[in-house]
Amino acid sequence: MTTPRIALTGLGLITGAGDDAEKGWSSISAGTSGIRTNTLFDTSELLTEWAGMVTAEQQSDVDRCYALAATAIREALRTSGLDLGTVDRDRVAVVVGSSLGAMPTLEGVHACLVHEGRLDAQAAAASQLPCVGDYIAAEFDLRGPRVVLSNACAASAVALGYAAELLWKGDVDHVICGGVDPLASLSAYGFSALGALDAEPCSPMSASSGLTLGEGAGFMVLESADRAAARGARPLAELGGYGLSCDGYHQTAPDPSGKGACAAMAQALDTAGLGPVDVDYLNLHGTGTPANDASEPKAVKLLFGSSVPPASSTKSIIGHTLGAAGAVEAVVSTLAIDRGTLPPTINTRGVEQPFGLDIVPDTGRPGAPEVVLSNSFAFGGNNASVVLHRPGRPGSAPRRTQSVHDVVVTGVAGLAGAARNTAELLAALAEDRPCFTEMEEVEGVGEVPVGRIDVKAASRGINPSRARRMDPLSLLAAAAVADLYGRHGKPSRAEAEGTGIVFATGYGPVTSVLQFHKGVLKRGINGANPALFANTVVNAAAGHVAMLHRYRGYTATIANGGTSSVLALQLAARVIARGAADRIMVVIADEFPEQALATQAGLPGYARTARIVPGGRTGTVLSEGAAAVLLESRESAAGRGAGVLARARGYGASGEPAGIGRIGRDGEAWSRALRAAMAEAETGPDGIDTVVSAASGYSLVDLAQSRALRLAGLDGRPVLAPKALLGETYGSAGALGLVAALSGATSRGRLLLSSFAYGGSYAAAVFDTGE
């Protein structure tokens, strides 16, 4: 069986260069700058007033992030000719990359809290990173799988990879995929504090004296080439492959050798069945910072030798759009293929490219690029490359997109609330003892229970010099990995360097974001702590763990609320199954400082006592948690003599347009995820020995899941409900359920993990134990 070729049939683009794809392409191909004076917020304390700012008026009743995304998606759907009313909306996925999400709204909420002591819990909850996908699904009535990726400036390039995995596997018919980020004072102050902003419009690959921030959105309609042909759509290009790697080198600087970036490019080409000789044009990451502009040419020359194709940076025209950059530049690369023009690098200031690259200076160049390689790199040493090529172009080698390996679990670990490690967690479960007995006062609510992890105690044993640079979320992630290695054995150095890391979180590095922004609110640029800023990106934890353990393999970061665990396990399993990685450490963590607790406790369904009964209308309790799950191919596990705890058998994901913060009561969408997981695992309800439940004591959730189980034929199957004792850990909940099931004596046989996220997305997974 062959996997489908992926066609890009619709494009939407809004940046400082233009309000749609045609206007943007006209400016970019002509070398007309879209960088102008930033009028969105005060820049008087910053290193620059320049930004790639969108000038079109945006919808005023939603966050700027949501408005930009909606604009680009409408254009992508229109240009694709795809009428959503004529397709199965259950099989239309939403895959989004973003670093900031609705940060302008969050900044306003936090400023009100800091200056006035007033917290708008509804606005805070509706502006979290996963809400980007929820807004899109509700706005366009989309009911397929939904995921938000947040690998900082590589986020939407990673999103394209995730979309490819869904289409290669046949999970969906269409994917609305792209990236979006608005200009925000948090990132502007952060990059200013790092000294990374150019005082003038940036000069990538030339003067290289700093970057210029931009904003915007780029979205694509992706579908199989056969499906596009059947409906008479004209493919503009094909998504041939992608590659991801981590440097494990530094939290903000790239590996100066360029080896990690080279590995990502090589993997992307290999997946597409192509080689360096096939590439006609490189869309460089090209930020304009001295570190990037020195390391990226080295990576390019490692891969291409002396035959480097033309390679330009379109950030010189639109600025650095952060998490949107990968998708924005994929749109530009697609237009380069379709229109036969190589985009230029402008604002060279008369400086010759110091590494001898042909950067297509000043204005676009006529050409006929058949294969384009587009790079996106990010904080934490994250490298992402995407291959786009002319429709129908054959590869020079077989594509690496089919499943060829069984995937097994060879290690698990977890901590939650008072349980600082797996041993304490399992003891609490065995003794029927809650892990959330602390009571904290919340203004306007009163005393409420919460599960707090003693981060210092949990992270003992981590190199102190490393630990000092890590935020609470990173320390929790590192503690889970350390506990896994303590229980299951540590790999050799060579094995570690071949290991990838997929990090997931419900809500990200809340403490770092709040502390950094509070410093700005209180003291302006003098309060902008660059060390804190480095930890405000969601993938910072992955970078820290990679540095601790010398990981150099595949990497991605998911921020999708309560489905994050299962979606991370799914992505890692798909990548291993098709041979793109031997093993991947899946790490999930969430930390909830007092402001997060106040937000949660101010919403309906929060418990007032520490006695939680799933299905018992007691309310739910927020609990900090982290988990680590090591997945690898069966061959890899056998080769190093690792014990097998379970086999990954099947995954399912679904969504509904419930609206931000809501879920459907009927359980219909949830049941689709459960049925899809069983279908991939080739089993029916009678073949499931234990359902690892997402029930938490909140009646809305528990009732929806009970209806979903009934619709999926699973009512009456044995149930394990770990949230009764572990609390609602959101991002790590599914993985902690797997830890509880695999490490305890209560559940053996075939397990089904059930998970949900507010906003109406659901994910499920089936594992066979006793392998």
Side-chain angles (χ1 to χ4, degrees):
M1 188 180 87
T2 59
T3 51
R5 303 177 73 98
I6 299 172
L8 284 74
T9 56
L11 303 177
L13 184 66
I14 179 168
T15 67
D19 304 338
D20 58 33
E22 288 300 329
K23 292 176 184 175
W25 175 249
S26 178
S27 294
I28 291 167
S29 59
T32 303
S33 178
I35 295 171
R36 53 183 57 85
T37 301
N38 180 3
T39 59
L40 293 178
F41 48 82
D42 183 14
T43 61
S44 59
E45 289 191 298
L46 306 179
L47 292 177
T48 185
E49 63 179 6
W50 298 102
M53 185 182 69
V54 170
T55 57
E57 186 175 343
Q58 299 302 303
Q59 186 179 342
S60 60
D61 59 341
V62 298
D63 187 89
R64 191 172 181 87
C65 170
Y66 302 158
L68 290 168
T71 298
I73 291 170
R74 288 190 187 98
E75 184 186 14
L77 288 169
R78 185 178 69 253
T79 57
S80 75
L82 181 66
D83 180 356
L84 290 175
T86 65
V87 302
D88 184 354
R89 292 175 188 262
D90 293 352
R91 292 183 58 80
V92 181
V94 176
V95 183
V96 187
S98 185
S99 183
L100 298 170
M103 187 57 71
T105 297
L106 279 176
E107 288 176 344
V109 170
H110 191 226
C112 189
L113 178 63
V114 170
H115 294 313
E116 302 175 22
R118 181 169 54 86
L119 174 64
D120 186 338
Q122 293 284 351
S127 308
Q128 300 299 312
L129 194 54
C131 298
V132 180
D134 301 336
Y135 173 82
I136 293 168
E139 182 72 10
F140 294 93
D141 190 18
L142 303 176
R143 304 165 193 165
R146 186 183 318 161
V147 62
V148 175
L149 287 304
S150 196
N151 282 67
C153 305
S156 53
V158 180
L160 282 164
Y162 199 108
E165 300 288 352
L166 291 175
L167 287 163
W168 286 334
K169 194 68 175 178
D171 293 325
V172 296
D173 297 333
H174 304 88
V175 183
I176 309 300
C177 180
V180 58
D181 263 327
L183 284 167
S185 62
L186 181 132
S187 50
Y189 273 85
F191 281 105
S192 209
L194 287 172
L197 297 181
D198 198 325
E200 299 298 326
C202 63
S203 178
M205 298 296 165
S206 300
S208 300
S209 45
L211 62 84
T212 297
L213 289 171
E215 66 175 348
F219 277 85
M220 290 145 277
V221 174
L222 305 178
E223 57 192 301
S224 73
D226 288 345
R227 188 172 297 278
R231 68 180 185 87
R234 183 176 81 88
L236 304 172
E238 289 184 15
L239 173 59
Y242 78 105
L244 306 178
S245 73
C246 53
D247 286 345
Y249 172 77
H250 189 274
Q251 201 58 16
T252 58
D255 181 347
S257 73
K259 291 179 180 178
C262 178
M265 290 186 281
Q267 185 187 89
L269 289 168
D270 185 49
T271 302
L274 298 166
V277 69
D278 297 306
V279 178
D280 302 304
Y281 164 67
L282 275 166
N283 190 289
L284 298 170
H285 184 53
T287 61
T289 62
N292 177 86
D293 288 10
S295 66
E296 190 172 10
K298 290 181 182 177
V300 166
K301 290 192 173 185
L302 279 175
L303 182 65
F304 291 94
S306 59
S307 302
V308 180
S312 66
S313 169
T314 45
K315 288 183 178 71
S316 61
I317 300 168
I318 59 179
H320 192 345
T321 56
L322 301 182
V328 165
E329 289 158 18
V331 170
V332 172
S333 297
T334 297
L335 289 168
I337 293 169
D338 187 59
R339 307 298 172 84
T341 299
L342 305 185
T345 307
I346 68 168
N347 197 33
T348 59
R349 303 179 191 171
V351 177
E352 289 292 324
Q353 211 293 313
F355 288 90
L357 300 182
D358 173 6
I359 61 169
V360 194
D362 303 325
T363 189
R365 178 187 302 167
E370 293 216 342
V371 177
V372 174
L373 188 62
S374 182
N375 288 338
S376 297
F377 309 138
F379 277 7
N382 285 201
N383 308 298
S385 296
V386 175
V387 172
L388 299 153
H389 59 74
R390 178 179 55 78
R393 187 195 190 283
S396 52
R399 297 188 301 148
R400 294 170 58 88
T401 56
Q402 296 184 52
S403 296
V404 293
H405 297 291
D406 282 344
V407 180
V408 295
V409 178
T410 57
V412 294
L415 44 155
R420 298 170 298 177
N421 53 48
T422 310
E424 292 182 9
L425 185 146
L426 296 179
L429 293 173
E431 297 165 14
D432 201 29
R433 173 167 41 86
C435 295
F436 42 78
T437 56
E438 291 189 37
M439 303 294 293
E440 292 185 15
E441 184 74 23
V442 174
E443 186 175 352
V445 177
E447 275 201 339
V448 296
V450 64
R452 292 279 182 223
I453 295 177
D454 184 339
V455 177
K456 287 185 179 179
S459 57
R460 287 191 187 118
I462 296 174
N463 184 319
S465 65
R466 295 277 193 188
R468 281 193 292 272
R469 300 181 178 92
M470 298 168 71
D471 66 322
L473 191 69
S474 300
L475 288 168
L476 289 178
V481 174
D483 193 32
L484 184 148
Y485 284 149
R487 289 166 50 79
H488 300 283
K490 194 168 184 178
S492 67
R493 178 162 183 165
E495 289 168 344
E497 290 187 350
T499 300
I501 177 169
V502 172
F503 177 67
T505 178
Y507 298 102
V510 183
T511 296
S512 291
V513 171
L514 293 176
Q515 286 181 350
F516 178 81
H517 192 233
K518 184 176 181 179
V520 171
L521 291 172
K522 291 285 191 180
R523 300 176 55 219
I525 194 63
N526 293 324
N529 184 329
L532 274 176
F533 178 66
N535 286 323
T536 63
V537 294
V538 178
N539 62 304
H544 283 299
V545 174
M547 285 188 284
L548 281 171
H549 298 287
R550 301 186 177 93
Y551 296 160
R552 302 288 189 272
Y554 184 99
T555 188
T557 292
I558 292 170
N560 216 67
T563 57
S564 296
S565 283
V566 176
L567 295 175
L569 290 167
Q570 177 189 36
L571 176 61
R574 295 280 169 83
V575 171
I576 293 169
R578 64 179 181 83
D582 291 329
R583 74 192 66 81
I584 295 175
M585 183 69 76
V586 178
V587 192
I588 314 97
D590 269 304
E591 45 102 15
F592 300 111
E594 59 178 324
Q595 298 92 335
L597 175 61
T599 298
Q600 183 76 37
L603 300 173
Y606 201 89
R608 295 298 180 262
T609 73
R611 182 176 179 273
I612 299 303
V613 180
R617 299 177 180 270
T618 55
T620 191
V621 172
L622 191 65
S623 186
E624 297 176 323
V629 180
L630 184 58
L631 296 181
E632 52 189 312
S633 68
R634 189 180 292 278
E635 293 83 352
S636 170
R640 65 186 193 91
V644 173
L645 302 176
R647 178 188 172 196
R649 290 295 305 273
Y651 295 88
S654 63
E656 61 188 346
I660 291 174
R662 301 174 182 174
I663 65 169
R665 295 174 180 269
D666 60 11
E668 192 280 327
W670 200 330
S671 71
R672 284 191 277 112
L674 301 172
R675 291 196 300 267
M678 289 188 289
E680 186 177 339
E682 299 181 334
T683 188
D686 291 343
I688 300 299
D689 296 295
T690 303
V691 173
V692 183
S693 169
S696 65
Y698 180 26
S699 57
L700 173 63
V701 173
D702 296 357
L703 179 61
Q705 184 183 237
S706 68
R707 289 171 173 167
L709 293 173
R710 184 172 66 253
L711 289 170
L714 289 160
D715 53 330
R717 303 310 299 163
V719 171
L720 177 67
K723 291 181 184 179
L725 300 175
L726 304 182
E728 178 56 271
T729 57
Y730 286 118
S732 60
L736 285 171
L738 182 63
V739 173
L742 293 182
S743 302
T746 56
S747 306
R748 305 306 292 172
R750 188 165 289 168
L751 311 171
L752 185 146
L753 305 185
S754 173
S755 69
F756 82 101
Y758 288 109
S761 63
Y762 308 93
V766 175
F767 290 86
D768 279 351
T769 66
E771 284 274 310

